[in-house]
Amino acid sequence: MAILYNMFKLLIIGQIARVGYFSTCQAIFLRPAGRPPGPHLWRHRPADIATIVRRALPCVCGPGERSRIQVKEKILWLSIAICENVCYCQTNDVIRYWGKLLMIKQKKSRTVSIRITKEHESMLKKLQGVSEMSQTDVLLKGLEVLGGYVGAESEKASLGEKLKELERAALEHAEEIREIRKKEDVIRELVKELKDVDRIIDKHQCEPSALIQILLEIQSEKRWLSKPTLIWVAERLGVPLSRVMHIATFYKAFSLEPHGRHLAQVCLGTACHVRGAQQLLNKVSMALGIRPGETDSEMKFTLKTVNCLGCCALGPVVMIDEDYYSDPSVDELKQIADDLE
Amino acid sequence: MMKKLATREDLEKLRKELQDRSKKIKRWVAVCSGPGCHVHGSGEVAKAFMEEVAAQGLEDSVRVRATGCHGFCEVGPVAVIFPERYCYVKLRVEDVPEIVGKTLKKGQVVEDFLFMDETTGKRILYDEEIPYYKFQQRLLLGQHLQIDPRDVGDYIAAGGYSALAKALFDLGPEGVLEEVKAANLRGRGGGGFPAGIKWETTRNAPGEPKYVIVNADEGDPGAYMDRGILEGNPHSVLEGLIIGAIAIGSTQGFVYVRQEYPIAVKNMQRAIDQARELGLLGENILGSDFSFDVKIHMGAGAFVSGESSALMTAIEGRVGEPRPKYIRTAVKGVWDKPSNLNNVETWANVPLIINNGADWYSGIGTDNSKGTKIFSLVGKVKNTGLVEVPMGVSLRKIIFDIGGGIRGGKKFKAVQTGGPSGGVIPDSLLDIPVDYDELNRVGSMMGSGGMIVMDEDTCMVDVARYYINFLSDESCGKCVPCREGLRQALRILENICAGKGKEGDIELLEELGSFMKDASLCALGQTAANPVLSTIKYFRGEYEAHILEKKCPAKVCKELISFFIDPDKCKACGLCFKACPVDAITGGKGLVHIIDQAKCIRCGSCFSVCPEKFSAVVKLSGEPVPEVTPGTKMKKKAKGEKKCKK
Ligand SMILES: Cc1cc2nc3c(=O)[nH]c(=O)nc-3n(C[C@H](O)[C@H](O)[C@H](O)COP(=O)(O)O)c2cc1C
Ligand code: SF4
Ligand code: FES
C-alpha cells in the first residue's frame, strides 16, 4: 500500500504541476517498441493522446485489448491497475483504463479506483507545494521508485526487464527533451536579447553617433555586452564591428563577460587611497570571496575597482549596487552581502 | 504641467507667483542630500522630515527640501532650518520628531544637534558661524540651500533665469561676451583659460552650427565639485550654458557627464526637460528669436575622455581619444564645427556674472584670478567636504582654518592639488595664495579643484607611484612618450617602493619627465610627470631613504616595513591572533604574542585591531626586527592600574 501511496503521490504531483508527467507516463508505458523515443508524445492535445495510447497499446497489452480503453473528458478519476505487483497507472480527466485492464493476464491482479475528493485535492496541493520539484524531476523520481520496486519485488524477470527498458527509454526521452528545451531556451533568450537591444537602438533613432550611449544602456540593462549583441549593434548602426569593439574595450564601464547580479565597486581614487583604500579592497575581497575583476560562481557578485565615486570626503568608500558605504568592516560587508538576494 | 513662458514678463510673473506662494511658508528646512550626507543616510532623514511634518499637520507652514551638497560632508547628514539658519549636524532619523516639534513648529533650538566647536567646547547656532563655513564665500554652493534641485520653481523663485532674460533682451550676444571678458572668468576645469576669449574664438570661427558643451566628466580622482553642482543646482549650469550659447551663436549644446554619477545625470535630465517645458529651451526662447537645445551624453569611464578633443570625439560616437590640435577645438571641434567646451563650474559662474555685473565679479579674487573656486577638501584633513573660497586665499587658511587641520593630531606633510596633472605642495609653501599662477609657479596647478591633504603617514614615493599607475592605466596609448614613458616611470617607482631602487633612479625619473612633457600629444602626457617631479622636488630625502637605506619613513611601502608586537606593551588580548589571515601570530593566555616574520604578509590587520590604549603593534622600517623568545610572559600590570575588561 505504501507503494500505491507513493505512486499516487507522484502521479498527482505530476498532474497538479500540470506537467508532462502524464504524457511522459505514456512514454514509459506506451512508446511502441522499436520506435525511437522522441517528443512525439509531447504537447499533444488530450484527444490525440488518446489516439496515441490506442495505437501504442497493442505492443504492451497485445492485440484485441484496445477496445478496453475509454476516453472521456473532464472526469476526475484516478485509476491504478496493479498487476503482478506492478502498478499500471493512468489518470487524468482524459483517459481511464476501465475495469480489468489486464494487459498481461496474471491471477493476482486487481484494480483500485480512487475518487478524488475535495480533501484529496487540497492534500495533493500541499504535497506539491512541499515537493517543489520540476517536471523532469518528478518524472525521474517516479521512475526511480518504480525501478526500485520492480528490481526488488518483481517475480517475473521479463516484466522487470521490460520495465527497465522502458525506463531507460524514458530517461533518454527526458534527456532529449531537456536538450531540445535547452536549445529552444537559448534561441528564445537570444531573440529576447536582440529585441531588447533593438528597442534601445530604436530609442536612439539608429544614430551611429549614439553608439556609446546605446552600449551604455545595454550594459546597464544586461550587465554585459555579449558577442551577438555587439555584432547586432554594429549591423544595425552600420558601423564596423571593429569600432564597436574598440569602444567596448576602451572604456571601463563595459564588460565583455557577464556580471553578477550585484556589483561592488571599491574606489581607489586618490582621496580614498591615502585613507586606506587598499585595506578596504582586501576586506571587500574577503567578505565576498572574490578578487577584483572576478565574479563569483553563483553570479551573485562582481567586484570591480574604480577611480573615483565622487564621495571623496568619506573615503575609503565602496559602492554596492546603488548604495555607498564608508569604510565598512568585514562583518558589515558580509551582512550587506547576505541581505542582498 | 507648467505653462510655457512666452515672454520675459511671463517669467517675472511666474517668479512673483512662486515667491508669493512661498510667503505662506513660515519655516523651511534644507536637508542636505549631497554625496557625503547621502552616504550618512540623509535620504532617510529627509523622508522622516516629510513624514513627520505631515504627521504633525504642518504641511501648510513648513517646507522640507532635500537639497544639494551644503559642503560640510564630514558632519552629515546636515539640515539647516530657515529663516533662522539653525544648523543641525549628524542627524539620525530618531532625531527628526523632536526637531519638527520644537524648531519647525515653535522656533526653539535643540542644543544637542548643533555643531560643537571642539576648540572652544561651545555649540554654534547658525551655519554661517561654524568655522568651516565662516571663512568661505559660498556664491555657488550657498545657492544649494535654497533650492530643491528637482524643482525648477525653487530656482526661479530664487532669481533663476533672470540672467538669461537679461542676456537675451538687455545685453545681446556682444554685451554678454563683453561682460564675461571683463569679468575675466577663467576656466575651472584645468588650464584656467579665459572663458571670454575662448567664446569669442568660437563665435568668430567659420562654420555652422556651433556647439557649446559642458564638461562634467570629472575624472580627477578625489574631486567631486562638479558632481556637487550638477546634483545640487543643475539649472545654474543650464542657464550658464544657454547664456554662453547666446554669446557664441550656438543652437545645440551637450552635457558630457560621466556615468558614474547617476544622480547627476538624472537631475540634469530633469532640469533640461523642465526648462524645455517652460520654453527656456527650444524654439524662440522667451519669445525671442533665439533657439537652442541641449542633449546629455554619458561618458563611459575614461579619464582621458575629459580632454577637450577626446571629449568631442566621444560625442561623435567614437572612442574618446585625443587628437592633434593643430586647429583648436574652439574652431574645429565636434564634427569639425566650432565647439566651445567649459567646465561645469565655469558655466555655473556665468549667471552670477550676468546678474551682478563684471565689476562686482572682478572685485572678488586676485589680479589674475577672479571669483571663487570650489575645492574638494579631502584626505587626512579633519573637516572634509566641498569648500568655496575667493581666489587668493592661502592654502593654510583652507586646510587649517576651514579644514580644522589634520585628523588624529598628526602632522601635516603636503597637499596635492590639480589631480594627476598637478603636484604636491609642502608645508613651507602653505602661505601662498591659491590662484592659477601661484600654483603653477610652485610646480602644481589649480586643476579642477581636488585638494588632497596628506599627513606624516603618507609616503610621497607611494603617492607618486599611485598617480603614475593611474595615468599609465588611463593613457590612451596613442603616442609613445606618454605610453612608454609612463610604463617605465611606473617600473622605476615600483622598484623603489619595493626596496629595489638604484642610485640614479631619481635622475632617470626627472629625465623621463621632461621628455614626456615635451613630446606628448595631449595634456595628459604633458603633465603626467608633475606628481613625480614635484614629490622629488620637495621630498627628495624620502626617495633617497627608500633607495639608499631601504627604508620607508612614512612606513607605508609594504616591502619595506615589518610589523612587530612590543613585548612590553602586549596584553595578550588575542585580538591580533584572531585577526591575522595567515596565522602568522603565535601566543596564548598570558603570553606575549609574536609575529612570525616569514609568514607575515604585511596586511596590517593586527595593527588595525590592536586596541589604541595598548598600541602594542608597531611598524618598523629600515631596522631589524627584535627577537622575542616564544613563551615570554606578559608584563604584569603596574600597581593601581585597573584590570582591563575584555
Ligand atoms: C586628461 C585630461 C582630462 C581632463 N578631464 C577634465 C574633466 O574631467 N573635467 C573638466 O572640466 N576638464 C577636464 N580637462 C580639461 C579639459 O580639457 C578642458 O580644458 C576644460 O574642460 C575646459 O573648460 P574650462 O576652460 O572651463 O576649464 C581634462 C584635460 C585633460 C588633458
Ligand atoms: S599624451 Fe597620452 S593620453 Fe594623450 S594622446 Fe598621447 S598617449 Fe594618449
Ligand atoms: S577618491 Fe574615492 S570617491 Fe573620490
Side-chain angles (χ1 to χ4, degrees):
Chain A
M1 223 29 213
I3 290 295
L4 190 63
Y5 177 71
N6 264 342
M7 281 307 297
F8 174 77
K9 192 165 94 179
L10 286 165
L11 266 172
I12 297 302
I13 291 166
Q15 281 288 328
I16 293 180
R18 296 184 8 90
V19 216
Y21 187 73
F22 172 68
S23 45
T24 322
C25 224
Q26 308 285 318
I28 300 172
F29 292 99
L30 301 171
R31 184 172 65 79
R35 294 242 191 109
H40 51 275
L41 285 173
W42 269 127
R43 285 196 237 112
H44 292 295
R45 285 179 298 129
D48 297 340
I49 293 179
T51 321
I52 294 165
V53 171
R54 264 195 213 108
R55 275 211 217 116
L57 207 58
C59 67
V60 184
C61 56
E65 297 276 359
R66 63 176 83 174
S67 58
R68 302 199 175 210
I69 292 174
Q70 288 184 5
V71 178
K72 283 198 181 170
E73 305 216 355
K74 303 260 188 274
I75 305 166
L76 263 177
W77 276 92
L78 170 80
S79 300
I80 300 176
I82 298 189
C83 160
E84 271 280 319
N85 290 338
V86 174
C87 297
Y88 284 91
C89 322
Q90 275 310 334
T91 175
N92 198 343
D93 34 7
V94 189
I95 303 165
R96 293 187 291 159
Y97 289 4
W98 255 140
K100 328 176 261 170
L101 175 62
L102 301 176
M103 295 167 250
I104 303 143
K105 287 186 181 125
Q106 289 291 336
K107 15 180 174 110
K108 275 188 273 168
S109 62
R110 65 192 155 113
T111 303
V112 182
S113 296
I114 303 164
R115 181 171 192 121
I116 299 181
T117 62
K118 278 251 158 60
E119 284 145 40
H120 280 127
E121 235 177 327
S122 68
M123 180 190 85
L124 295 169
K125 280 225 173 81
K126 251 186 242 153
L127 268 176
Q128 186 208 357
V130 174
S131 80
E132 277 182 350
M133 281 193 277
S134 74
Q135 313 176 359
T136 326
D137 288 343
V138 172
L139 166 68
L140 294 179
K141 197 81 203 155
L143 284 168
E144 201 180 290
V145 173
L146 251 184
Y149 177 72
V150 169
E153 294 187 48
S154 170
E155 288 152 24
K156 253 202 140 158
S158 67
L159 184 60
E161 281 303 305
K162 186 136 207 148
L163 264 172
K164 280 249 169 77
E165 195 183 294
L166 289 168
E167 179 186 332
R168 220 174 11 257
L171 273 175
E172 262 173 41
H173 175 61
E175 188 56 41
E176 211 168 285
I177 286 168
R178 221 181 304 164
E179 279 296 308
I180 292 172
R181 283 232 171 141
K182 236 193 255 163
K183 274 184 201 157
E184 268 180 11
D185 283 348
V186 169
I187 292 173
R188 211 173 300 131
E189 270 301 301
L190 186 64
V191 169
K192 190 173 161 290
E193 185 181 328
L194 294 187
K195 264 198 187 140
D196 289 342
V197 171
D198 262 344
R199 180 170 42 76
I200 293 169
I201 294 175
D202 290 339
K203 201 172 108 193
H204 290 275
Q205 284 104 37
C206 222
E207 263 300 321
S209 69
L211 176 53
I212 300 176
Q213 307 306 302
I214 289 170
L215 292 181
L216 271 174
E217 261 182 61
I218 299 172
Q219 168 79 35
S220 83
E221 199 166 290
K222 300 278 172 205
R223 304 200 302 266
W224 72 303
L225 303 175
S226 69
K227 199 168 150 193
T229 300
L230 291 170
I231 295 172
W232 189 245
V233 169
E235 204 55 42
R236 288 263 345 245
L237 296 185
V239 295
L241 184 58
S242 62
R243 193 198 289 175
V244 179
M245 285 307 288
H246 192 177
I247 289 175
T249 51
F250 182 80
Y251 289 107
K252 291 214 178 53
F254 300 124
S255 158
L256 298 180
E257 278 160 22
H259 269 181
R261 291 187 301 283
H262 304 285
L263 182 62
Q265 308 185 69
V266 178
C267 174
L268 295 185
T270 328
C272 294
H273 175 78
V274 299
R275 278 164 68 159
Q278 195 57 46
Q279 277 88 313
L280 175 63
L281 181 60
N282 292 346
K283 282 194 272 181
V284 178
S285 201
M286 214 186 287
L288 300 182
I290 41 177
R291 276 174 306 192
E294 289 181 351
T295 303
D296 60 33
S297 54
E298 286 151 27
M299 296 297 289
K300 182 165 176 186
F301 275 105
T302 298
L303 175 58
K304 265 175 58 171
T305 61
V306 290
N307 284 331
C308 182
L309 290 166
C311 283
C312 322
L314 301 170
V317 281
V318 51
M319 185 176 182
I320 297 175
D321 290 341
E322 310 261 287
D323 295 319
Y324 301 87
Y325 302 91
S326 170
D327 204 10
S329 68
V330 175
D331 291 336
E332 280 163 356
L333 283 163
K334 281 195 179 137
Q335 189 59 46
I336 295 163
D338 287 344
D339 288 348
L340 288 169
E341 198 278 315
Chain B
M1 192 70 188
M2 272 170 292
K3 229 180 94 226
K4 210 170 175 122
L5 305 171
T7 60
R8 186 181 192 171
E9 288 67 41
D10 280 359
L11 174 67
E12 292 311 322
K13 218 170 85 198
L14 174 65
R15 193 191 319 282
K16 183 101 202 338
E17 263 173 46
L18 290 163
Q19 284 167 348
D20 284 348
R21 208 179 304 160
S22 64
K23 273 191 193 130
K24 289 198 204 96
I25 305 281
K26 281 219 298 282
R27 269 202 189 79
W28 65 97
V29 49
V31 188
C32 177
S33 303
C37 290
H38 180 77
V39 178
H40 285 310
S42 70
E44 281 83 54
V45 173
K47 216 169 105 213
F49 262 111
M50 290 179 199
E51 284 166 5
E52 193 59 33
V53 164
Q56 300 202 15
L58 297 173
E59 288 119 314
D60 295 334
S61 59
V62 167
R63 182 158 173 210
V64 182
R65 282 192 180 101
T67 71
C69 184
H70 298 187
F72 202 175
C73 305
E74 184 71 37
V75 294
V78 180
V80 180
I81 290 167
F82 288 86
E84 293 90 349
R85 295 198 79 114
Y86 296 140
C87 177
Y88 292 145
V89 300
K90 295 198 177 163
L91 291 178
R92 290 160 308 163
V93 173
E94 308 89 271
D95 306 338
V96 171
E98 194 178 348
I99 297 176
V100 174
K102 289 200 177 146
T103 317
L104 287 176
K105 204 165 179 177
K106 304 186 198 138
Q108 297 165 352
V109 180
V110 190
E111 286 269 335
D112 289 355
F113 306 137
L114 292 172
F115 177 79
M116 182 155 80
D117 190 342
E118 274 173 29
T119 48
T120 61
K122 286 213 181 100
R123 302 248 175 211
I124 298 176
L125 269 180
Y126 309 110
D127 67 331
E128 284 170 328
E129 283 175 12
I130 295 173
Y132 182 82
Y133 292 127
K134 200 160 71 187
F135 301 106
Q136 299 189 38
Q137 185 172 4
R138 293 186 293 157
L139 297 182
L140 295 173
L141 292 180
Q143 295 176 25
H144 291 186
L145 277 75
Q146 314 284 341
I147 290 168
D148 179 344
R150 287 159 288 266
D151 186 354
V152 61
D154 275 1
Y155 184 68
I156 292 179
Y161 290 107
S162 57
L164 170 65
K166 188 171 169 189
L168 267 179
F169 301 107
D170 301 343
L171 297 175
E174 289 80 10
V176 172
L177 201 58
E178 281 317 309
E179 206 69 28
V180 173
K181 266 163 75 182
N184 194 11
L185 171 64
R186 291 175 69 174
R188 301 294 198 246
F193 193 81
I197 296 176
K198 194 160 29 168
W199 290 15
E200 197 167 35
T201 316
T202 309
R203 179 180 159 80
N204 294 336
E208 292 289 333
K210 295 178 164 61
Y211 297 108
V212 284
I213 307 162
V214 181
N215 188 345
D217 198 38
E218 196 155 65
D220 172 4
Y224 65 110
M225 304 77 46
D226 296 351
R227 172 176 179 182
I229 298 179
L230 276 190
E231 287 184 11
N233 195 359
H235 282 285
S236 67
V237 181
L238 193 57
E239 187 179 359
L241 185 69
I242 307 173
I243 295 171
I246 297 173
I248 289 164
S250 159
T251 52
Q252 175 69 52
F254 294 101
V255 182
Y256 189 93
V257 200
R258 64 202 300 244
Q259 57 97 31
E260 287 92 332
Y261 290 173
I263 307 171
V265 174
K266 214 153 96 196
N267 285 2
M268 193 69 207
Q269 186 61 55
R270 193 185 288 115
I272 291 173
D273 294 343
Q274 287 170 342
R276 207 176 278 140
E277 203 177 307
L278 280 173
L280 298 166
L281 275 181
E283 300 287 316
N284 301 357
I285 294 173
L286 288 178
S288 68
D289 52 8
F290 175 71
S291 304
F292 178 70
D293 214 336
V294 178
K295 227 160 120 179
I296 289 190
H297 195 102
M298 271 194 281
F303 175 62
V304 73
S305 285
E307 196 272 342
S308 54
S309 65
L311 185 144
M312 295 191 190
T313 328
I315 287 180
E316 292 170 14
R318 290 183 290 137
V319 166
E321 287 174 350
R323 59 167 175 74
K325 288 189 271 189
Y326 308 118
I327 305 174
R328 265 175 293 154
T329 50
V331 178
K332 271 191 174 187
V334 184
W335 290 293
D336 281 344
K337 302 289 184 230
S339 309
N340 177 82
L341 174 72
N342 279 116
N343 172 259
V344 170
E345 203 183 327
T346 319
W347 289 117
N349 267 299
V350 172
L352 284 180
I353 296 172
I354 300 298
N355 267 333
N356 300 304
D359 289 341
W360 168 82
Y361 194 79
S362 52
I364 307 165
T366 61
D367 282 352
N368 287 318
S369 309
K370 300 295 183 196
T372 59
K373 173 82 193 86
I374 306 179
F375 292 99
S376 99
L377 186 62
V378 295
K380 302 283 187 75
V381 67
K382 213 183 258 164
N383 303 330
T384 53
L386 293 183
V387 173
E388 183 175 356
V389 286
M391 299 271 190
V393 164
S394 74
L395 280 168
R396 191 178 296 283
K397 192 153 188 172
I398 298 178
I399 297 166
F400 287 91
D401 294 346
I402 296 174
I406 305 300
R407 290 178 167 243
K410 299 269 181 176
K411 235 178 99 222
F412 172 87
K413 188 177 212 172
V415 55
Q416 208 280 349
T417 69
S421 311
V424 297
I425 300 169
D427 198 19
S428 58
L429 293 171
L430 273 187
D431 288 310
I432 60 161
V434 176
D435 73 8
Y436 291 100
D437 311 305
E438 279 297 314
L439 287 177
N440 278 347
R441 199 176 55 79
V442 300
S444 182
M445 61 187 261
M446 179 80 85
S448 55
M451 202 171 260
I452 294 130
V453 179
M454 299 166 184
D455 66 0
E456 53 189 329
D457 289 343
T458 317
C459 169
M460 287 299 140
V461 187
D462 177 65
V463 166
R465 183 200 57 80
Y466 167 81
Y467 275 114
I468 297 303
N469 183 29
F470 171 82
L471 286 164
S472 72
D473 243 18
E474 294 293 338
S475 160
C476 78
K478 203 170 190 171
C479 56
V480 180
C482 166
R483 186 185 65 220
E484 297 304 319
L486 281 168
R487 226 172 59 169
Q488 296 310 325
L490 180 61
R491 248 180 49 191
I492 298 171
L493 285 164
E494 274 176 347
N495 277 341
I496 297 180
C497 286
K500 293 183 223 144
K502 296 185 291 290
E503 264 181 78
D505 275 355
I506 301 181
E507 291 71 24
L508 195 57
L509 281 172
E510 285 171 330
E511 196 187 329
L512 261 175
S514 73
F515 172 63
M516 269 153 57
K517 191 179 214 148
D518 292 338
S520 295
L521 172 66
C522 84
L524 186 145
Q526 288 158 11
T527 57
N530 283 352
V532 180
L533 297 181
S534 68
T535 44
I536 292 179
K537 186 164 160 196
Y538 299 119
F539 297 95
R540 201 179 183 102
E542 241 176 85
Y543 277 85
E544 282 164 353
H546 279 77
I547 297 171
L548 303 175
E549 298 165 47
K550 309 293 174 211
K551 170 178 168 183
C552 176
K555 307 199 174 97
V556 170
C557 298
K558 251 187 175 181
E559 270 87 352
L560 297 180
I561 56 169
S562 337
F563 289 90
F564 172 65
I565 301 175
D566 188 339
D568 294 341
K569 290 185 179 166
C570 179
K571 292 284 183 283
C573 68
L575 282 177
C576 56
F577 177 80
K578 275 182 233 143
C580 180
V582 291
D583 298 331
I585 298 179
T586 51
K589 213 171 167 205
L591 296 181
V592 165
H593 286 52
I594 299 165
I595 300 174
D596 182 347
Q597 297 297 333
K599 278 192 194 166
C600 174
I601 54 166
R602 302 183 187 92
C603 69
S605 298
C606 49
F607 186 79
S608 53
V609 296
C610 187
E612 209 171 311
K613 53 181 182 271
F614 304 160
S615 299
V617 182
V618 289
K619 291 190 217 171
L620 303 175
S621 181
E623 53 190 301
V625 182
E627 281 290 332
V628 181
T629 13
T632 310
K633 286 260 174 10
M634 180 189 101
K635 273 258 166 78
K636 282 272 146 34
K637 52 191 182 302
K639 252 183 218 161
E641 198 181 341
K642 278 217 182 111
K643 194 172 177 186
C644 174
K645 281 199 188 120
K646 273 242 170 107

